[in-house]
Structure formats: structure tokens, C-alpha cells
Amino acid sequence: MLTKQIETSVAPFESWQPESCGEIDIEIKANGDWYFQATKIDRLNMVKLFARVLTKEQNHYYLKTPIEKMRIRVEDAPFLITHWYEKEEFIICCDNLNREYILGDNHPLELKSDVPYLHLHHGVLAKVSRNVFYQWAEIANEKKGRFAICSGGQDFFIG
């Protein structure tokens, strides 16, 4: 199955029920950069580690493990869709951490003020970069007075 070939596994957040341990001074900027105590985290592997345990619950973002849950700040969406490609009639979206998601039922698009966001997992979104949006606009078809792209035979509106 294409999903198993492309997408990485997600932490089993449903089975983890830790108490909230407060807030940690981590902020994700609108451009996808992560900061700890106002210092940019430059180590990609560290950001990827934190990203694996990022979840959104009741409109707040948390780093969640089986034993603790720490609230963090996010300016917009924690991730950006920076590029994409097509495979077997599906659109594969790639985020700023080089993770891949298949545009489809598990990862649909949502428009917020005419800006598309991709649903990743557990309430976490990735904002579609302007470059990707313009590329999609070039291949979009008009459907019901709106523009849509097709992935796996399903239409997704981009504006």
C-alpha cells in the first residue's frame, strides 16, 4: 500500500493519558522554525524528535509522551508543505522536515481565509507554502466555481 511506503508512523497518542506538566519555553514560528528559550533549534534531528510527539488538543499544542504533556506555543501551523510530487495518481506533500503525506482522506486540505492547510495527525496542520500553492494553481481545475486539485480521484479545493 502506498501509505505504508511513504508515510512515517505516528505516536499512539490515544493510549497516552499523562497529566499536563505545565508549559515549556518552546515556540514554533510561522515559518516553521523551532525556538527554545528564544534560541533557534538548528539541529534538525532534535526538531524531528520533538515533532514526533507534537499533538493538538483543545486548541493548544503539546509535546506529549506516555508520562508527561508540556504545552508549547505555535504562531500559525507548526509545519509547512514545501514541495510535492505525484505518484500513482496521488499528490504526495512534503513538509519542512522532509516527511511525506498523501493528500487524501487521512490528510485532507482545509482552507482558512483562502490559505490551504494540510491535516497531518491529531489536530496538527501544515500550512501550504506559497510556492506549492502557485504550482497547484497551475494544475487546478475549476469545479463548482472554485479551483481544485485531484489526488487519488478525489478533488481538494485550494481556493
Side-chain angles (χ1 to χ4, degrees):
M1 175 173 249
L2 189 59
T3 300
K4 289 182 181 180
Q5 292 174 0
I6 291 180
E7 296 181 12
T8 56
S9 63
V10 177
F13 292 121
E14 310 80 33
S15 63
W16 298 351
Q17 300 304 321
E19 293 294 319
S20 180
C21 298
E23 188 170 326
I24 187 169
D25 191 9
I26 292 179
E27 182 174 18
I28 306 172
K29 300 289 187 180
N31 67 357
D33 289 341
W34 289 57
Y35 285 80
F36 174 67
Q37 295 180 341
T39 301
K40 184 178 176 193
I41 302 173
D42 287 321
R43 293 180 52 203
L44 181 60
N45 286 337
M46 181 69 70
V47 172
K48 285 183 175 184
L49 178 66
F50 287 143
R52 286 186 57 80
V53 295
L54 181 68
T55 186
K56 186 176 181 184
E57 298 174 2
Q58 299 168 348
N59 291 325
H60 297 290
Y61 285 93
Y62 296 91
L63 298 180
K64 184 176 178 180
T65 70
I67 56 173
E68 64 184 1
K69 180 169 81 171
M70 302 290 290
R71 188 170 160 183
I72 68 168
R73 294 179 312 282
V74 177
E75 280 187 351
D76 185 3
F79 306 108
L80 295 171
I81 299 303
T82 58
H83 58 285
W84 66 284
Y85 63 94
E86 289 183 84
K87 183 172 184 173
E88 299 177 18
E89 299 182 20
F90 287 91
I91 291 177
I92 313 302
C93 300
C94 309
D95 75 6
N96 56 312
L97 299 182
N98 296 317
R99 300 174 302 175
E100 299 180 333
Y101 303 91
I102 300 170
L103 179 59
D105 289 334
N106 291 336
H107 304 290
L109 288 179
E110 175 181 337
L111 290 176
K112 294 182 176 188
S113 301
D114 288 330
V115 176
Y117 290 80
L118 183 72
H119 283 264
L120 303 185
H121 56 80
H122 297 95
V124 176
L125 300 175
K127 184 177 183 178
V128 175
S129 71
R130 185 170 294 182
N131 184 38
V132 169
F133 175 78
Y134 288 146
Q135 291 173 23
W136 285 352
E138 288 180 9
I139 65 164
N141 295 307
E142 190 172 349
K143 305 270 180 158
K144 302 176 187 174
R146 300 170 65 196
F147 290 99
I149 55 175
C150 185
S151 179
Q154 188 174 357
D155 289 328
F156 294 91
F157 293 104
I158 62 169

